[in-house]
Amino acid sequence: MVAVPRKPDATPIVVLVSGSGTNLQALIDAAADPAFGVRIAAVGADRDGIEALARARRAGIDTFVLPVTDFPDRAAWDAALAECVGAHDPALVVLAGFMRLAGPAFLARFGGRTLNTHPALSPSFPGMHGPRDALAYGVKITGATLFVVDEGVDTGPIVAQVAVPVHDDDTAETLHERIKISERAMLVEWVGRLATAGYSVDGRRVVPGSAPHPPDPKDIP
Ligand code: GAR
């Protein structure tokens, strides 16, 4: 079992991004209200020049950029990512459109307290193209999934899901944009809840509000 404790003050989080950053923006907007109980300590990206970083900088949030190509191999990049995130001492890490897999060094430090949002209803359509794959399969309902990151591709214990109907005239783009409206609301609601109330992960079950005490370090994978 992994237990992430509730925090008495605003909970520091680090958000990792790769793209337009509309999910990040939803978190930035929510965190402007002290009642949300979350402080975005830093935003990290695997590439420069993206709108997500511009959103963070406009909000006065610290940023860091770690292109994979700047490192000799994936393991070195993964270790650097863990270091950069760790420098901000976050209680939670939120992957919001971060198109990289967390590796062993990162998970050794932040496993159990890294959340990711995926634009499909897990376990269906994992990977980079959730909306496109759902459309191609012909499903009538798809959605978004918030989960605790593990070593797999979109396979971790599920925090929350939201359903979104597929329209007959949808393209992958229109479907993704409709999913993202619901996805942002889910992300804000659950990051707020988990960051302020804490949670534990028991097997595949994420139990909110069930970790009133600091975790024993040996329980953190
Ligand atoms: C979101 O829909 C997120 O779920 C997806 O990228 C989008 C980022 O949008 N992530 C994945 O597909 C990861 N498998 P944003 O940059 O506007 O927040």
Side-chain angles (χ1 to χ4, degrees), residues 26-143:
L27 290 170
I28 291 172
D29 294 346
D33 179 355
F36 187 55
V38 170
R39 176 174 66 82
I40 303 177
V43 170
D46 63 330
R47 64 199 73 183
D48 212 344
I50 54 174
E51 179 59 19
L53 284 171
R55 292 176 190 275
R57 290 170 184 148
R58 283 197 293 272
I61 299 168
D62 274 2
T63 61
F64 59 88
V65 182
L66 293 173
V68 175
T69 49
D70 282 4
F71 294 86
D73 53 29
R74 287 296 285 238
W77 173 81
D78 184 48
L81 180 67
E83 275 306 304
C84 282
V85 170
H88 297 277
D89 201 20
L92 278 181
V93 183
V94 177
L95 312 190
F98 188 60
M99 296 302 191
R100 299 281 173 191
L101 271 186
F106 184 88
L107 289 175
R109 204 150 159 192
F110 299 106
R113 53 196 176 110
T114 299
L115 307 178
N116 192 7
T117 177
H118 177 62
L121 289 178
S122 298
S124 297
F125 313 119
M128 305 275 282
H129 303 288
R132 184 196 73 183
D133 294 347
L135 195 63
Y137 195 90
V139 296
K140 301 302 183 193
I141 304 277
T142 184

Side-chain angles (χ1 to χ4, degrees), residues 142-215:
T142 184
T145 301
L146 183 68
F147 62 97
V148 179
V149 172
D150 66 8
E151 60 286 342
V153 177
D154 303 323
T155 51
I158 292 170
V159 174
Q161 291 184 301
V162 60
V164 173
V166 179
H167 296 171
D168 288 342
D169 59 353
D170 264 332
T171 63
E173 291 72 31
T174 61
L175 178 58
H176 195 178
E177 286 308 312
R178 190 168 340 98
I179 290 169
K180 282 170 67 170
I181 294 169
S182 300
E183 182 181 31
R184 289 189 287 265
M186 174 179 70
L187 181 70
V188 166
E189 176 188 346
W190 281 94
V191 167
R193 283 173 78 163
L194 298 185
T196 55
Y199 65 96
S200 57
V201 181
D202 187 6
R204 287 207 55 85
R205 290 189 59 239
V206 179
V207 188
S210 52
H213 306 296

